[in-house]
Amino acid sequence: MLALFSTLHQLAAVIWVGGMFFAYVVLRPVLAEREGAERLAIWRGVFGRFFYWAGAAVLLLLGTGYWMLLGPYGGFAGAAPYIHLMHLLGLIMAALFVWLLVGPWAALRAAADREDTAAAARALGRIRHVVLVNLALGLVTVAVAAWGSG
């Protein structure tokens, strides 16, 4: 059972962190060459799909992570230091993701609906910053997982 939960946990991390990497490093520079209204419309579609999958990944990461932590890893007292660091980073990332959904993402959708490109662009800028922070935290978390379990 541990192998299944560990696999699901790792797949969820790949989906979330890999999606942020693609969005920030690959898609963002390409879309920067597009006109404002077109760029915002594409981002709205991309984020609408990505946040659905990222949300599912976050829930799966938290569920499988706590199952492993409280079961096979012996609870908080029995877990290795790298597990505690992954836990802390994961909680920070999850909190930022939730804030992103209810803050900048909601603002981007509302601004796009009323065709306020200036407000939508500001919201997109806030999303970009949160994604960058979460991407950095995600890459560090993956490195901690690989280093600690190796």
Side-chain angles (χ1 to χ4, degrees), residues 52-144:
Y52 171 82
W53 286 101
V58 169
L59 292 175
L60 189 57
L61 279 163
L62 291 172
T64 57
Y66 280 117
W67 183 89
M68 291 184 292
L69 176 64
L70 299 174
Y73 294 144
F76 286 94
Y82 82 96
I83 300 288
H84 289 283
L85 181 55
M86 287 179 9
H87 179 234
L88 174 64
L89 294 171
L91 287 178
I92 293 168
M93 290 178 66
L96 285 171
F97 178 73
V98 169
W99 179 81
L100 182 70
L101 292 179
V102 299
W105 172 234
L108 175 64
R109 287 191 331 248
D113 287 348
R114 64 180 187 273
E115 298 180 8
D116 183 348
T117 55
R122 284 191 302 276
L124 182 59
R126 287 191 300 275
I127 290 171
R128 180 176 53 85
H129 286 109
V130 175
V131 169
L132 176 60
V133 169
N134 251 2
L135 173 58
L137 290 172
L139 292 173
V140 168
T141 305
V142 169
V144 166

Side-chain angles (χ1 to χ4, degrees), residues 15-60:
I15 289 168
W16 189 16
V17 177
M20 288 187 296
F21 183 89
F22 174 79
Y24 198 88
V25 176
V26 178
L27 187 57
R28 186 181 62 85
V30 171
L31 290 182
E33 300 169 1
R34 304 287 182 161
E35 294 297 321
E38 180 186 17
R39 180 175 59 242
L40 291 170
I42 292 170
W43 274 121
R44 182 176 180 171
V46 167
F47 285 140
R49 290 174 186 261
F50 175 67
F51 290 156
Y52 171 82
W53 286 101
V58 169
L59 292 175
L60 189 57

